[in-house]
Every structure is written in C-alpha cells, then in structure tokens.
Amino acid sequence: MSKFVYDFTEGDRSMSDLLGGKGANLAEMTRLGLPVPPGFTITTEACKAYLSAGKDPAGLGSQIGTALAATEARSRRRFGDATDPLLVSVRSGAKYSMPGMMETVLNIGLNDDTVNGLAVVTKNERFALDSYRRLIAMFGKTVLNISADHFEDELQKSKDANGVEQDYEFNIEQLKELIAKFKEIVKGQTGEDFPQDVHAQLDLAIKAVFNSWNTDRAKLYRRQEQIPEDLGTAVNVVTMVFGNRGEKSGTGVAFTRDPASGVSGAYGDWLTNAQGEDVVAGIRNTEKLEDMTKAVPAAHKQLLEVMTILENHYRDLCDIEFTVEDGKLWMLQTRVGKRTPAAAFRIAVQLVEEGLISQTEALLRVTGAQLMHLMFPRFIDTSSFTRLAKGIAASPGAAVGHIAFSAERAVELAATGMKVILVRKETNPDDLAGMVASVGILTSRGGKTSHAAVVARGMGKTAVCGVDELTVDVHNRVVTTASGVKLIEGDLISIDGTTGEVFAGEVPVTASAVTQYFNGELTPQEIMADPLVRAVDHLIFHADSVRRLKVRANADNGEDAARARRMGAEGIGLARTEHMFLGARRELVERLILAENEIDKKHALDALLPLQIQDFTEILEAMDGLPVIIRLIDPPLHEFLPDYTDLSVKVALARSTNTLQDSDEKLLQAVSRMHEANPMLGLRGVRLGIMFPGLFALQVRAIAEATAVRILEKGNPHPEVMVPLVATVAELEPVRIEAEKIIAEVAAKFGVELNIPIGTMIELPRAALTAHRIARVADFFSFGTNDLTQTTWGFSRDDVESAFFSEYLERGIFGSSPFETIDPYGVGELVKMAAAKGRSVKPDMELGVCGEHGGDPRSIHFFNEIGLDYVSASPFRVPVARLEAARATLAEQTISSTA
C-alpha cells in the first residue's frame, strides 16, 4: 500500500515534490527543533489519486486516522473530546508557493459541544465562541461553497446593530447571536445543518483543499507563473494554536529581510488577538513587527532568534508565519520568501558578501525577467501633482492608469488597450484576473503581507496597500479621500509603489537608475552609492564572465546601434534595411518601382546608393570592431507604396472631376500589379532580389563601399550580408555569386581587402529541413524565429494574436504565446535540426537567432542548450539576455554535474 501520510517528524525540506513546500518546511523546522505544532501532511500523490478517481485512494482514511492519533498523543488532547478538544487547521501546500490560490480552513473540530469544552479549558468563553463563528464562516465558504458575502453582510449587520467596529469588540452574547445567524445561513444555502461530526468536518475540509487545486483562480495563477498543472497539492493538518486568545496572543507574518527593498533586518506584520487569516486577508490594518514587544516581548525576542536560525539554514530570505498563544511562540510556516526584483538583486549580493552563498549561486537567484522589471520607468517629479493619500509601499514601481473597482471591469478596460489601476478595499484570490490585467493595485486595507501585496510582488506589479485615508465604495464605484475628494471609475491616478504615495492625474515618468546605469549615464561614484545599481553591476559583471552565448542587438541605425553597444551588445545580429527606405525616401522607392526602362531604374538606384552607404557607415562606426549582420531588404515592395484602396478611391474621384494625373494612374497600375492576397508568403525576401534585379546589388555595393571607406579611415568594420526568406539553395546560389562579384569590384576600386561573409536566415520549415544543402553556400545561419513560428504553426501573427490567442491561453492550449517563448517541440525542433544539419557540412558554422525570442529568458535557455553561438535582441533587452545567458550556462553545468 502506498504511503500517503507523513508525520512532521518524518520528512524534511528535500521532499517538496511529495509533501509540498509547506509540509516539507514544517518537517524541516520540526527537525531543527523549532516550536512547531504537532501535525501531519497528506501527500501530493494522494491529491492526484483523488482528483483522478474522484474518491480517496485505498488506505488514505486509515493512514489519516493513525496520524491523527499520533497528533493527539503529542498534543495531549483528543479530536472531538467535549472536555479538552484537539482542534486542527487544514491547509493547502503545493510544491511551488501559490499565495491565496488554494484553500485553508481553521478551527476544524469545533461543534456545539466542543466549543463549550474549549471555553472551560481556556477559561475564555469569548475566545471559544469567536473561534466557532470563524469556523462556520470559513467552512461555509471554502467547503460548502456558500458565497462569503452572506457571512460578511451578516457580520456587518451585527456590527452596526451593536455599535461595534472591530471583530474583537463583540461580547459573548453578541457572538452567540452571530453564530446562530451563521448557522441559519448554512441551513438556508445548503439545506443541511452545519456538520457536528468533527471527523466529517476534517474529511470534507481535506477534500475541499484537494479540489481547490482545480479552481479557476488556481489554474490562472499557474498559467501566469508557469507552474505545471500535474503537480497537485499536499494537505497539512496542524494542531491549532490560537492568536485570538487575548492581549498576550496574536499572529503575524515576518521576513528575515525586507522583501520589497532587500534591506537587511526583520520586517513583517503583527496583529494582537487575531488569527492568521486576519493578517493575509487584510481585514484589519496591521502593526509593525516591533510592536510585538509591547504585548509579548519574550516571544518577540525568540522570534528574532528563530529568524536568524532559519535564514542561516536556508541561506536566503525566509518568509515566516507564526502565532503567539498566551505568550508562547509557535512556527506555522516558513519558505524562501517571494521578493521584488530589486530585493532579489540586493539580497543575492548581500548573501555573497556575508559569505552565505557563492557568486554563482547569487546569479542563479536572480532572473532576466526581474532585471527587466528593474528597467521600468519611475516618476520624474511629483511636486506639482496633488497627493491624494499615502499608504504602505507594497510592491515598487510607478504605475499610471484609470480606476477600476472590480476585477471584471479591469479586464474589460484593459481589453480596450486602456491602462488600469485596480482599486479595492482589499483583494482576494477571486480578483486575480483583474490584478493580471492591471498595471497597478491600490487597496485601502492590508499591509506588506496582504494578498494584494504578495501577489503583486510575485507578478512584478506596482502596489500600494493599507491606504487608511481612502474610503473605497465598490458598490457605488467611488473612492473618497480624507479631504473629501471623490474619484470615480475611469479617473486617472498615479501610484508609487516605492513610497506608497497616490496622486491625482498622470505623473510623468523617467527611466530607472538601472536603465541609466546600462546606458552609461552614471559615474562610478553614483554606481557605488546606489545599493541596487551596485548589486546589478556586481551580478552582470559575473554573468559576462560565465556565459557562453554571445549577445548581439537588433538595430537599424547608428543611434540604435550605439545604444545597444552601451547596453553591452557584442555586435548587431539583425540590421533591417527596409526601415531605411521609409520617410522621405519613399519617393525614391516609388521611382524605382515605376521605372519604365533600365535608364530610369538606374537613376533611381543611383540616387539610393549614397543614402544606403551613409546608413551602413553609421552602423559600422557605432559597432566598430564588432560583427554587424545586415539583412537585405525583406518585405514586398508594395509596403512602400500607397494603400491600394485609398489610391483607388483617389483615382476614381479624380476621374469623375477630370483632374486625374498621369502619375497617379501609373501608380495605381503598379500597386494593382503588385497587390497580393497574402503578401507575407508572396514576392518578398530572396524572391524579391531575384525578380527585381539591381535591388540586392545596390545594397551589397553600399555595404561593401561603406566597409572600404571605414577601412581607409583606420576603422575596423565587420559586416556580414544576410539573405532573407531562403527556401532552397537554388535561391541563395545566384545571390551569392552576384554579391561576391560586387564585393570584389569594390575591393579593387578602393584598394582594400574585403572579407564579408554571406549567410542566410532560416525562417521557413523547408529551409530548416534542407539546411545541410543550404549550408554549402552559406557562411552562417541566423534563425528568424518570428517567421519560422508563423510558417510552422500556420499563423498570421497580425490576425491570430487578437483573434484567439487569449482563448488558447485561457484553455491551456498554449502555456505561453509561441511568439513570446520558443515552442521547443515544433519550432524549436526545427531550429535544433537545422543547426545540426548546417554543422554537419561546416562544423564551425556560426549560428544565431535574431527573432523576438532572442530576448526572452526561457527561450535563451533553449538556444544555449542546442549550441547556438549568439542571441540577438532589442537594445533594451540586451542586459536581460546577458544575465539569462549566464544563468543558462550555469543551469547546463549543474545538469551535467548531476548526470
């Protein structure tokens, strides 16, 4: 029989696959001798078996009974005993943290009899009744699927009727009345009484936690965080300890370092006379962790000691949940804490400097996605803007958006392209879709460890929480400030997640200090003075010393090339020449297209040549000494001409008024002649070069002459010519022959030696399948993964992304958009195959990628794994690619060392 239940004394933190993160860490703390309440964990395997069969796996019930008996023995109480009852909490705990996404039920074991026993043994009837009313509400919502609104509305009615503001102000008689009302809700909504059988309570609660793995919000969170669907959740059954027993009791969440900034020291939230859910739900505004010293100084001192033990043991920031019951500290959970991107970098470097981890470990603890967030803009100057309120800086950044008071409205507004700030009293897991859709979150309740704060930090969203000065009226869709200013849905506000400030209107933003650092705008002194920038500098320097993959940039002009070089680019992986034909040069392109004879055509080409030479000279100057891959013109020529429909209307109107000009008539004929039903699969790329003689020759000559001039000026240019959209070696051969002839002519003309490699983009499935043939006449391959994704999937990117991608992502057909992250099984397999085929002909052939995937962190790991030489990304993403390429190298080394 499979083992489905583990006592906390049986496991350790290495067993997170089986026990979930929470269960494994409870076992680890037990192993360390820390004060953990007795309990046991039901494994993820039990959850998966239950969800698969729709019933408990064989043997689970008896194993739970055995574990419960052991817990009773250690706690010296009996479950269901009317005189001194054992109460338990039932908590979810997947391998990866999913805060608030799955279910928890506290105070399991209370009924009409045991509540009296609890009152007697604790000598605190009010506490016992308060625990019972909490159980009925939580059990009703979580297990019986009763809307929480029913209980919350009744709670508010009771507060209003009794003149009570806070839950802890209810007296004994008022709590008895509230319990009776809550029971009526259960009876009215389910047709059944609240269950009095404590074992039935436990069984139903365990099943509710199992089922919560498949709730919509849990699925959405897993898609958002790329957590596998098949892991299942463990269930932790833990002896209840009570933070709501009076002024010597309380509950809190603590961090061994500030999870928002990374600053060293103990941070967290504390609530006197409360249970744990009160903190994370944001129902009451919390106190600071140091406020514990007023009520329970000895427990506070012990907590700091435990925090030091845990951080040194885990060698990382630890997130801790704890309860103090009548002055005694109990540890309910620990895990490696979620943190903001800024905190991740600062903490990684701090731990290196403290000797807890190596530089390599530090590099593996930060990600390219986090670095990207650090490069987001910040507010320039808020002095001229009206500050509406100030709350807790829960997740840093600067966000400007229109107010939405519900998750549904946030999703609706975001779908129209509007930037949205979700404004709530507090958020709960049902708000996740709105949080994903918003650029920022603002709540009037809660603290740094509230649901809104934790989820926002995990997503890299800006959040301000606990803004007492704001009164949020969700029903009437209005928020009122302490000074009486009213804001309605759709009004524009700005929130600063670093300071906690909220402003009216749109505050201008500027680049972050990290972006300024990468752009070369900071002095060495300024770098050292900023702890975050210093941490980024430390880790990016180490990353460059570790990574195998080179990082180049996609840049189309000298200015972009210079910026890319400042960002750390080691060359240009893609210079798109079609952008050089836009603007004022369109007229020259029109002349070229409309040329009626070779003389007119030559005049047009001659006029374009010096302009192209200048274009390439600027890029080669900016990237002097580094490789520059220049792609010959790719899109169909009609893209440089007027819209067919617009021009047809113009010509028709001119004919009706006898004002038609010859040039417009000829232009319409040309546009009509070149019009294609599907131009992205039509006359473009190499086909254009073959069918329109002189166009590729113009560009190759311009590249060669720009190179020759740079050599004569003592420069060190390294251009490479890339031919786009090749499907067969028979297309590349004539282009290469003509290019080599032109390069030789230019070399002779200027008296210099020109060594300009000629390669191709692999962006069609046929090119990938016949790469060994194409490699015979190509010096290098660059994978154009944008078009390769389109042609492999049969997608038109401009159409499908808006048509059905959101539905595909929602249904789980896509784990992520194949245009954002490489599809390893289809497109990726073609890239891998083509790389191997190319190198079977030329073992030292240079291979790179220049599509959008070149800047995507997960895709970079794939390209490193299959042995590409470089990735090329937009200038802004170059630092991200540098960092992630190093992480890919280290991950590969780790896999090799453990193989």
Side-chain angles (χ1 to χ4, degrees), residues 92-133:
S92 62
K95 178 180 180 179
Y96 300 108
S97 176
M98 295 172 57
M101 295 303 110
M102 292 180 294
E103 303 297 2
T104 290
V105 187
L106 307 180
N107 304 321
I108 292 289
L110 279 176
N111 58 25
D112 292 347
D113 294 328
T114 58
V115 70
N116 296 321
L118 183 64
V120 172
V121 77
T122 61
K123 299 177 182 179
N124 191 335
E125 185 178 7
R126 192 211 165 277
F127 149 72
L129 292 169
D130 182 57
S131 299
Y132 195 21
R133 69 95 184 167

Side-chain angles (χ1 to χ4, degrees), residues 827-849:
V827 178
E829 189 64 27
L830 286 174
V831 174
K832 182 179 180 181
M833 177 197 306
K837 283 177 175 286
R839 283 185 172 156
S840 70
V841 177
K842 295 179 178 177
D844 297 326
M845 182 180 232
E846 183 182 67
L847 304 173
V849 61

Side-chain angles (χ1 to χ4, degrees), residues 105-112 115 128-148 151 175-187 192-196 201 275:
V105 187
L106 307 180
N107 304 321
I108 292 289
L110 279 176
N111 58 25
D112 292 347
V115 70
L129 292 169
D130 182 57
S131 299
Y132 195 21
R133 69 95 184 167
R134 289 171 182 268
L135 168 64
I136 297 170
M138 189 176 285
F139 194 94
K141 173 182 177 292
T142 300
V143 180
L144 303 178
N145 297 314
I146 301 170
S147 171
F151 298 105
L175 283 170
K176 287 180 178 179
E177 291 175 4
L178 193 57
I179 288 169
K181 291 291 186 183
F182 279 11
K183 286 182 178 179
E184 289 176 9
I185 291 172
V186 172
K187 179 76 170 179
E192 302 285 343
D193 291 324
F194 178 78
Q196 296 295 304
Q201 289 179 13
Q275 285 198 325

